[in-house]
Amino acid sequence: MSVGLMTAIGLSDEHTVMGGFEMSDMFTNMNPDDMPLWPALFITIACGEISGFHATQSPLMARCIENENNGRFVFYGAMIGEGIIALIWCTIALSFFGSLEELNAAVANGGPGNVVYGASFGLLGVFGGVIAFLGVVILPITSGDTAFRSSRLILAEYFNMEQKTLRNRLIVAIPLFVVGGILTQVDFGIIWRYFGFANQATAVMMLWTASAYLLRHNKLHWITTLPAMFMTTVCVTFILNNSTLGFGLPMNVSTIAGLIFTLSVTGLIIKTSKGKGEEDLADEDNSEGVTKTA
């Protein structure tokens, strides 16, 4: 879908890729409300390469792979794919509407859905637009399905409830559906405002969990530790600085506090996790030896 839209805009006579923008615009803050790029940009783009919402589906995806070695292709590949899709839609929005004024007008008249609708039908016609729009609709439906399923499995494991019987599945699933139904009654703008921060904060926890695992087994942990450090600084800075969701502190104070917090967490994770996996294996071997001797 995204590739089709990108191809259509590339072949279009009416639109050019990023035609209304200069290279210098890429380094200029053009937010209509003058929101700072740091750290808001990394909270606003909440479903790109780093996304806690997608990370919550990891337990479900992990059950579908036969070997841990497949994790790089499955999880890292999904991350890169999400990043590419985010960049494509960013390019489409800026190219199809031609200017920030027109894009903001489209958002004001119908939200992000109006942007997707206008670009899909405007570039691909009625038939292609319907297919593209259905693809956009199906994505959150399937994501919601896997999110509910992952939540059910996580809660079931936490409370040690087997999920083979329908009764036990319903015991966990029905409360989740009730909470989901209640959330649908809340203004979507409010939900999305909190979702951006909560999504990236969840990603931070997942990245630190992965780093702790790699550290415990003396593997290269910086591939997850560095993103974890960056996103930790982003989330802490954002919640301290943002006056609507957070504490409204000055940006410099928030950033310094974010850096201090990040360095503290990094030191704690490295100190408490490094090499612990080898100790666990040694303890297991010793336990097995004692059992055999007995």
Side-chain angles (χ1 to χ4, degrees):
M1 175 190 65
S2 299
V3 174
L5 286 167
M6 198 65 194
T7 302
I9 206 165
L11 299 175
S12 174
D13 295 329
E14 299 180 19
H15 308 281
T16 56
V17 178
M18 304 294 289
F21 298 90
E22 302 292 337
M23 181 59 69
S24 59
D25 293 335
M26 301 298 106
F27 303 94
T28 304
N29 185 359
M30 295 184 287
N31 185 280
D33 298 325
D34 198 32
M35 288 186 64
L37 288 176
W38 167 265
L41 176 66
F42 306 99
I43 298 293
T44 304
I45 305 177
C47 284
E49 290 186 356
I50 295 181
S51 172
F53 176 73
H54 293 86
T56 61
Q57 302 177 45
S58 299
L60 189 63
M61 295 175 67
R63 286 172 165 80
C64 300
I65 60 177
E66 297 180 352
N67 193 301
E68 184 179 335
N69 292 331
N70 297 329
R72 177 181 296 177
F73 176 79
V74 174
F75 297 107
Y76 185 76
M79 182 186 76
I80 297 300
E82 285 290 338
I84 292 173
I85 291 174
L87 290 173
I88 287 176
W89 272 106
C90 180
T91 303
I92 289 172
L94 293 174
S95 302
F96 179 79
F97 292 96
S99 67
L100 283 179
E101 290 73 21
E102 292 184 33
L103 177 58
N104 289 331
V107 173
N109 290 331
N114 188 43
V115 174
V116 174
Y117 180 88
S120 299
F121 283 87
L123 291 171
L124 301 177
V126 176
F127 179 76
V130 169
I131 299 298
F133 200 72
L134 285 176
V136 174
V137 172
I138 289 172
L139 279 174
I141 291 176
T142 55
S143 296
D145 170 62
T146 51
F148 274 118
R149 191 176 303 180
S150 296
S151 299
R152 176 175 62 82
L153 293 173
I154 291 171
L155 290 174
E157 287 186 3
Y158 184 81
F159 291 106
N160 196 26
M161 294 180 62
E162 59 86 14
Q163 292 292 284
K164 293 182 179 180
T165 61
L166 179 61
R167 175 179 175 275
N168 282 358
R169 292 183 181 184
L170 292 176
I171 289 175
V172 181
I174 290 177
L176 289 173
F177 291 147
V178 171
V179 173
I182 293 173
L183 289 176
T184 61
Q185 306 305 309
V186 181
D187 178 46
F188 183 77
I190 296 176
I191 293 178
W192 186 256
R193 191 186 305 160
Y194 285 94
F195 169 78
F197 171 76
N199 185 67
Q200 302 305 67
T202 304
V204 165
M205 290 185 281
M206 185 62 241
L207 286 167
W208 280 123
T209 301
S211 296
Y213 170 82
L214 294 172
L215 278 161
R216 289 178 69 86
H217 296 280
N218 292 319
K219 297 183 178 182
L220 180 62
H221 66 93
W222 292 109
I223 57 173
T224 52
T225 298
L226 289 177
M229 293 174 67
F230 178 78
M231 289 308 301
T232 300
T233 307
V234 166
C235 290
V236 174
T237 302
F238 178 81
I239 201 65
L240 291 178
N241 173 254
N242 190 277
S243 58
T244 304
L245 304 182
F247 299 93
L249 299 179
M251 178 60 73
N252 57 345
V253 174
S254 301
T255 302
I256 292 173
L259 289 170
I260 293 174
F261 181 83
T262 298
L263 293 175
S264 301
V265 171
T266 304
L268 180 64
I269 294 293
I270 292 176
K271 181 180 179 180
T272 57
S273 301
K274 190 170 180 59
K276 297 297 183 181
E278 303 299 327
E279 295 179 9
D280 293 341
L281 291 175
D283 291 340
E284 289 179 8
D285 291 339
N286 292 334
S287 298
E288 290 178 1
V290 171
T291 303
K292 290 179 180 178
T293 303

